[in-house]
Amino acid sequence: MDNQMKRGLLDVCVLAAIRNEESYGYQIIKDVKPFISISESTLYPILRRLEDSGMMNEHSVEHNGRLRKYYHITKPGIRRLEEFTEEWKEIMAIYEFVNGRMARAAIDERVQERIPGKEENYEQV
Amino acid sequence: MNRYEFLAALSAKLSDLSPSDQRRVTDFYSEMIDDRIEEGLTEEEAIESFGDPETDAREMLEELRRSGRLEIKADEPAEKIEEAEKNGESAASYTGLSEEAINEAIKNIRPEEPVPVPSGADVAGRTRRKLVPALILIFAGIGIAIILTMLAVRVTGMTLSFFPWINRTDNHTIDRKISSLKVEVSSADVFVTDSGSDMVTVKVPRGAKSRYTISFEGETLIIRSSYSPVMHLLPFAGSGNVEIGLPAKASAASYVLDSGSIETSSGDISVSGEILVKDTLSLWTSSGDIRIAGDNLASAVSGKLSIRTSSGDVRLDDIMAKNLEIRTSSGDVSSSESRVSDLDISTSSGEIDFSEAKLASPGLERFVIKSTSGDVKMELMKIPYIQTNTISGDERVEPSSASEGASDRYVISTTSGDITVRSRK
């Protein structure tokens, strides 16, 4: 996948992971991993980026005698997710278009392969 | 590799970051290690799951740099590392750091004391420091708003409803058969009318001085109010109205209600439209007025119509009732155009005026009217034999046209009130 695209998708996945309730780093990784490869070293810069752009904020909560950072989505973050789903409707339409043309090309090729074969058959006859 | 070795190796690779940012990264990884240990891994396994700290540090730096978190330095550490690796140098040398620097970094991360975790009290204290001034501001704001509002109410003397949750109305349409009605409210005025459809509709106040509940017991619709201490404090919350829409009578044979009872302590009760009650309709209020306005004798109670008010007035227009019982202490009672077969009225100081009631004696089988100081005025189609008693009041009673003798079917007695009975011309 294109790096720039992956970066954008990762941002959106992390925002989606904290969309309905705030969450912490390890939980985010576990939630997002089934969909896109993510590790601590990828997550940390994303969290910094999202926080700097005001899409989420963090706060510390005491957990088992230590502090755990919880991330909380903000209004701009929610807006970003809404934009994402809107954008992807367009992208899905483009996908349908591209995929349709590709399928058509594949059929045409198959047909083209067959016809010369047939002609040969005719000649033999 | 244990936790501290891993974090030190990581931190050593993050020298491009400020010390506080480095700390942030090591805190982040430390939390990740703890979360994995909590899931059942050993510290060793948790750290193995990360892979190489140098790779992680390099990836993070690249990414932070790309998103503008870091200024681009002339010498890319990534290049330096590759260069160093080619030369087969040790980890310490290719990071560009001396052994001492790494040891220093380890010391920074692993101080003599364990990494201090702020206690719950510290966190709470920090939150409190932010919270207290905010709360003071909020309470001060609310206080000023209340004072200004009370002043505005005092000055203008009007009922304000600029708060969206005050003095509103809840509308309900009741989609079930109602044969009986029970209303017990404290200060609201109660209006009963026909809904214009075959449904029962109820409007109760919301955000008024009392809370209103609607419930059902079999086919009985119950509307009650309960004291709302908060809303009583608000000077601009009104008492509101309870409005009950009953289905309009479809034909004279079908009753809208079997029975109904409406009680309000200080509100008025008003019944209008085409209401048919089979058994009993009780309208009780302590200080409110009671008014029934049937349209062209459209309202009828085929059983007993019981009306009680202590200081309120009673006005009945165009009503039909087999049995009409009215009790007031200081309120006046008056009526126009009524069909009643059994009339029973008691008042202490109120005036009873049935002079426009067009009471017909053949229909009017019995009446007992008692008053202490109030006057009694009646006009009848045909005067029966009336037993009148008064101690100090004047009696102006037209002679009876009835031939029969004394009977206690028609009784008017007062202490000091005047009694006037005329025949309708």
Side-chain angles (χ1 to χ4, degrees):
Chain A
M1 203 188 292
D2 166 48
N3 271 339
Q4 198 58 43
M5 188 190 242
K6 191 182 172 191
R7 208 165 279 128
L9 290 176
L10 275 167
D11 283 4
V12 167
C13 285
V14 170
L15 285 173
I18 59 170
R19 171 64 181 87
N20 296 327
E21 54 197 357
E22 51 182 40
S23 185
Y24 54 93
Y26 189 42
Q27 187 60 47
I28 294 172
I29 288 178
K30 283 197 286 187
D31 287 345
V32 172
K33 214 163 207 168
F35 304 100
I36 188 164
S37 76
I38 187 167
S39 68
E40 280 72 11
S41 59
T42 16
L43 179 60
Y44 180 79
I46 294 167
L47 292 174
R48 297 310 304 271
R49 190 161 58 220
L50 292 177
E51 198 189 2
D52 285 351
S53 53
M55 295 195 199
M56 54 142 233
N57 46 45
E58 60 173 50
H59 63 111
S60 297
V61 171
E62 205 200 323
H63 171 81
N64 280 354
R66 62 189 169 93
L67 284 184
R68 191 191 248 168
K69 277 198 174 120
Y70 275 81
Y71 305 95
H72 182 87
I73 197 162
T74 58
K75 274 197 181 139
I78 292 168
R79 216 172 302 131
R80 174 74 197 95
L81 284 177
E82 287 164 357
E83 280 166 17
F84 172 80
T85 48
E86 281 307 308
E87 279 166 17
W88 273 78
K89 275 180 201 158
E90 284 171 35
I91 292 172
M92 288 311 286
I94 294 167
Y95 168 81
E96 294 297 337
F97 170 70
V98 173
N99 198 37
R101 287 301 165 100
M102 296 285 282
R104 175 78 186 279
I107 293 164
D108 285 351
E109 271 165 35
R110 293 281 278 293
V111 171
Q112 289 297 328
E113 279 164 19
R114 287 257 174 98
I115 292 167
K118 273 184 187 168
E119 278 164 2
E120 278 163 31
N121 284 342
Y122 281 128
E123 276 162 25
Q124 280 174 10
V125 170
Chain B
M1 212 189 289
N2 71 20
R3 176 195 301 248
Y4 299 106
E5 287 164 331
F6 176 84
L7 295 179
L10 187 69
S11 186
K13 290 290 179 184
L14 297 169
S15 53
D16 283 2
L17 295 176
S18 70
S20 73
D21 276 349
Q22 282 180 37
R23 182 58 189 259
R24 233 176 137 159
V25 175
T26 52
D27 281 352
F28 176 78
Y29 271 84
S30 200
E31 184 192 307
M32 293 296 172
I33 294 167
D34 285 329
D35 280 336
R36 279 173 165 76
I37 291 170
E38 232 176 75
E39 238 182 26
L41 296 186
T42 64
E43 187 176 297
E44 203 78 358
E45 287 165 340
I47 285 153
E48 266 169 35
S49 71
F50 293 130
D52 180 30
E54 279 102 74
T55 319
D56 273 22
R58 195 173 59 225
E59 280 172 6
M60 268 187 286
L61 283 178
E62 268 176 40
E63 200 53 43
L64 290 170
R65 208 171 264 130
R66 189 169 280 113
S67 52
R69 292 278 318 159
L70 263 179
E71 281 175 21
I72 297 163
K73 283 201 172 176
D75 49 347
E76 285 277 333
E79 287 166 21
K80 260 174 98 185
I81 290 161
E82 277 156 26
E83 208 178 298
E85 275 170 346
K86 259 183 251 158
N87 300 338
E89 285 170 34
S90 75
S93 63
Y94 68 62
T95 58
L97 293 167
S98 62
E99 290 287 344
E100 291 94 72
I102 287 192
N103 286 336
E104 186 66 27
I106 291 177
K107 233 197 267 169
N108 280 341
I109 291 157
R110 185 170 47 177
E112 301 307 311
E113 298 292 316
V115 179
V117 173
S119 70
D122 281 353
V123 177
R126 233 175 286 145
T127 322
R128 207 175 300 133
R129 273 199 290 284
K130 277 187 201 163
L131 214 62
V132 169
L135 281 177
I136 289 172
L137 269 178
I138 289 168
F139 282 125
I142 292 171
I144 290 168
I146 288 175
I147 289 165
L148 286 178
T149 314
M150 285 171 113
L151 274 176
V153 170
R154 210 38 80 78
V155 171
T156 59
M158 43 189 236
T159 310
L160 301 178
S161 60
F162 46 73
F163 291 112
W165 37 276
I166 283 174
N167 298 334
R168 296 286 143 159
T169 308
D170 271 344
N171 291 317
H172 303 272
T173 301
I174 286 141
D175 193 12
R176 57 193 284 175
K177 181 162 167 41
I178 301 298
S179 64
S180 180
L181 174 68
K182 194 170 185 182
V183 181
E184 287 167 13
V185 295
S186 60
S187 55
D189 293 342
V190 181
F191 293 86
V192 179
T193 179
D194 57 70
S195 66
S197 70
D198 55 356
M199 303 286 253
V200 174
T201 58
V202 176
K203 288 182 189 173
V204 291
R206 178 158 48 86
K209 283 200 192 296
S210 303
R211 248 191 311 273
Y212 290 83
T213 52
I214 297 174
S215 59
F216 301 95
E217 240 170 52
E219 290 184 357
T220 305
L221 167 66
I222 301 169
I223 301 169
R224 284 201 175 94
S225 72
S226 57
Y227 182 75
S228 170
V230 177
M231 298 307 283
H232 263 82
L233 290 176
L234 299 178
F236 34 81
S239 313
N241 298 334
V242 172
E243 290 179 46
I244 300 150
L246 296 172
K249 64 170 179 186
S251 69
S254 74
Y255 291 96
V256 172
L257 285 180
D258 285 348
S259 65
S261 103
I262 297 172
E263 287 176 43
T264 167
S265 61
S266 58
D268 296 340
I269 299 174
S270 164
V271 178
S272 65
E274 302 184 346
I275 311 296
L276 273 166
V277 180
K278 194 173 158 201
D279 297 327
T280 312
L281 177 63
S282 312
L283 309 176
W284 295 358
T285 165
S286 65
S287 59
D289 295 338
I290 296 177
R291 187 188 156 89
I292 306 183
D295 187 9
N296 219 359
L297 291 171
S299 280
V301 178
S302 61
K304 182 172 169 184
L305 174 58
S306 165
I307 293 173
R308 284 180 200 193
T309 168
S310 69
S311 58
D313 294 337
V314 178
R315 171 75 192 176
L316 309 171
D317 290 313
D318 278 327
I319 62 147
M320 282 199 284
K322 184 168 178 286
N323 197 323
L324 174 60
E325 183 190 82
I326 303 174
R327 301 275 181 272
T328 82
S329 62
S330 61
D332 297 336
V333 179
S334 64
S335 173
S336 75
E337 196 82 34
S338 296
R339 299 277 162 79
V340 179
S341 61
D342 190 332
L343 184 61
D344 182 346
I345 306 178
S346 285
T347 171
S348 62
S349 61
E351 198 170 289
I352 298 170
D353 185 353
F354 271 65
S355 60
E356 289 170 23
K358 293 182 190 165
L359 293 166
S361 64
L364 186 65
E365 288 166 5
R366 196 185 84 94
F367 64 71
V368 176
I369 297 169
K370 286 177 190 157
S371 157
T372 312
S373 60
D375 296 340
V376 177
K377 274 185 222 159
M378 293 195 84
E379 192 175 286
L380 298 166
M381 300 292 270
K382 195 178 162 208
I383 310 260
Y385 175 80
I386 302 172
Q387 191 185 317
T388 53
N389 304 304
T390 176
I391 293 166
S392 61
D394 292 340
E395 277 186 52
R396 282 183 295 272
V397 181
E398 269 186 33
S400 166
S401 56
S403 52
E404 66 204 75
S407 126
D408 56 0
R409 278 168 62 200
Y410 303 101
V411 179
I412 302 176
S413 60
T414 71
T415 309
S416 60
D418 297 340
I419 300 172
T420 310
V421 179
R422 285 190 311 240
S423 72
R424 192 173 163 77
K425 300 283 172 335

